[in-house]
Amino acid sequence: MVTRRDLLFQIAAASATPRRIALTMDDFHWRFLGSTETEVLAKNRSLLKLLEHENLQAAAFFIGGNIEAPIGRKVLDAWGASGHIVANHTWSHRNYNAASTTFEFFSADTARTHAVLEKSRGFTPLLRFPALKEGDTKEKRDAMRAWMKSAGYRNGHVAIDTSDWLYAAEFAKRLAANPRYDSAPFRDAYLSHLRRMGEVYGGLARELAFGNAPLTLLVHYNELNVRHLADVLQSFRSAGWQWVGAREAFRQALYSQEADTLPAGESLLWALAKQTGHYEERLRHQGEQDKLEEGLISNLP
Ligand SMILES: [Zn+2]
């Protein structure tokens, strides 16, 4: 029997605008995918085939050091040729919040990757800061912001920050110990982590009046996502999210916002929330989030 409450729920669900989400992938440590070029390129093709099948354009943020070798170059070219955004994640992936990472070093490190990427298909001048660290001092933060403006760059912001890299590292250990490892429980924990982060940052987006913008999800290029990215896409869809292209996401006004926080960085939504001064209780630093996830992962088979 359909109750009045069921009906009201169905009407509300049908009239709600679907939440939108876009895929961004970082690092491209192709060595994580295999020891031979054949193996790496086969797995790379499977990721690209999935996105083609889903008709989904992603943004791929490359570490310059990973596209120096011919095999890394082939990975880069394949993503560009498949219509994805190809963008800059610096050359050596230094933490810009470290006192030892100067503006002079960091801007040169970004320019070095730019010199390789600018001739690539799909290249879009977006910079993703390693570990989302945008500077520990006002001087460093603003110097890099000015550098980006003069170079025609925008920040390739993450909206939904995740600890997928932590899951991926633990997943790799389990596979190394047992190549026939049954990954189903691990996969389920990973998917629920991502959806949980979707709820956390989706909630912040609504409260900050950016609820209509597609939110950029952070994942990394690794074996976990080679095996389970299809599940990630399906899992968000089942939770009421609609996948949209990364180019459409980065066009939104949300991604032109500059938060006035120090140290600068983290998820853009996290930084915008912090800037208001009203979210101290709810904003856990990524470090704390990672500790929480480590505890969850250690209990998995
Ligand atoms: Zn990275």
Side-chain angles (χ1 to χ4, degrees):
M1 196 186 109
V2 179
T3 65
R4 183 167 170 274
R5 194 159 162 267
D6 287 341
L7 272 177
L8 285 175
F9 181 76
Q10 282 170 19
I11 291 164
S15 61
T17 330
R19 301 179 291 177
R20 295 186 295 162
I21 187 167
L23 185 70
T24 74
M25 190 172 264
D26 281 15
D27 292 359
F28 289 79
H29 289 307
W30 47 265
R31 290 169 191 83
F32 289 177
L33 265 50
S35 48
T36 65
E37 177 168 322
T38 313
E39 192 183 356
V40 170
L41 294 182
K43 289 179 182 179
N44 191 60
R45 263 195 307 278
S46 80
L47 280 172
L48 290 171
K49 268 179 87 172
L50 167 69
L51 296 175
E52 188 188 344
H53 175 74
E54 297 274 351
N55 196 21
L56 181 63
Q57 181 200 51
F61 289 90
F62 284 85
I63 293 175
N66 284 339
I67 48 179
E68 229 181 350
I71 180 169
R73 183 76 222 191
K74 285 179 189 172
V75 169
L76 166 72
D77 290 344
W79 281 75
S82 304
H84 300 290
I85 287 178
V86 157
N88 196 330
H89 195 32
T90 75
W91 189 271
S92 45
H93 208 258
R94 287 277 193 94
N95 180 339
Y96 192 40
N97 281 8
S100 56
T101 310
T102 62
F103 161 71
E104 288 71 24
F105 175 88
F106 194 84
S107 54
D109 204 55
T110 304
R112 189 175 172 196
T113 295
H114 175 80
V116 178
L117 288 183
E118 67 174 337
K119 303 170 211 100
S120 301
R121 275 176 81 175
F123 171 65
T124 305
L126 289 168
L127 169 63
R128 175 153 293 166
F129 285 81
L132 312 183
K133 307 300 185 207
E134 295 174 34
D136 51 331
T137 67
K138 187 176 187 308
E139 290 69 30
K140 277 169 68 176
R141 179 195 73 187
D142 293 350
M144 204 52 211
R145 283 180 178 174
W147 183 93
M148 285 162 69
K149 281 196 183 88
S150 71
Y153 264 78
R154 293 172 59 205
N155 190 319
H157 280 296
V158 166
I160 303 174
D161 192 9
T162 73
S163 305
D164 86 306
W165 56 275
L166 199 58
Y167 279 82
E170 290 297 324
F171 186 68
K173 277 187 212 160
R174 283 162 171 77
L175 275 185
N178 174 13
R180 297 174 64 191
Y181 170 65
D182 172 13
S183 67
F186 198 96
R187 171 202 65 204
D188 293 346
Y190 173 53
L191 296 177
S192 72
H193 163 67
L194 294 185
R195 283 198 314 270
R196 215 162 44 242
M197 293 303 103
E199 294 307 322
V200 168
Y201 290 102
L204 284 179
R206 276 195 306 280
E207 289 174 44
L208 295 164
F210 289 110
N212 290 329
L215 302 185
T216 48
L217 174 75
L218 168 65
V219 297
H220 291 80
Y221 187 81
N222 52 46
E223 184 69 33
L224 179 61
N225 287 316
V226 165
R227 295 192 186 207
H228 295 303
L229 187 62
D231 301 317
V232 170
L233 300 182
Q234 185 52 45
S235 161
F236 274 98
R237 211 175 273 132
S238 304
W241 294 81
Q242 183 186 7
W243 288 95
V244 301
R247 203 171 294 284
E248 186 182 338
F250 281 118
R251 263 201 296 267
Q252 309 285 323
L254 168 62
Y255 298 96
S256 303
Q257 303 291 312
E258 284 187 337
D260 185 13
T261 53
L262 283 171
E266 311 304 332
S267 144
L268 174 60
L269 292 166
W270 189 94
L272 290 173
K274 187 175 181 208
Q275 171 180 261
T276 68
H278 301 314
Y279 288 84
E280 291 304 320
E281 286 296 306
R282 281 172 51 193
L283 296 175
R284 282 175 304 182
H285 190 267
Q286 181 62 31
E288 285 175 44
Q289 180 63 38
D290 290 344
K291 270 195 211 95
L292 196 82
E293 299 301 333
E294 267 170 20
L296 287 174
I297 296 170
S298 65
N299 288 323
L300 288 170

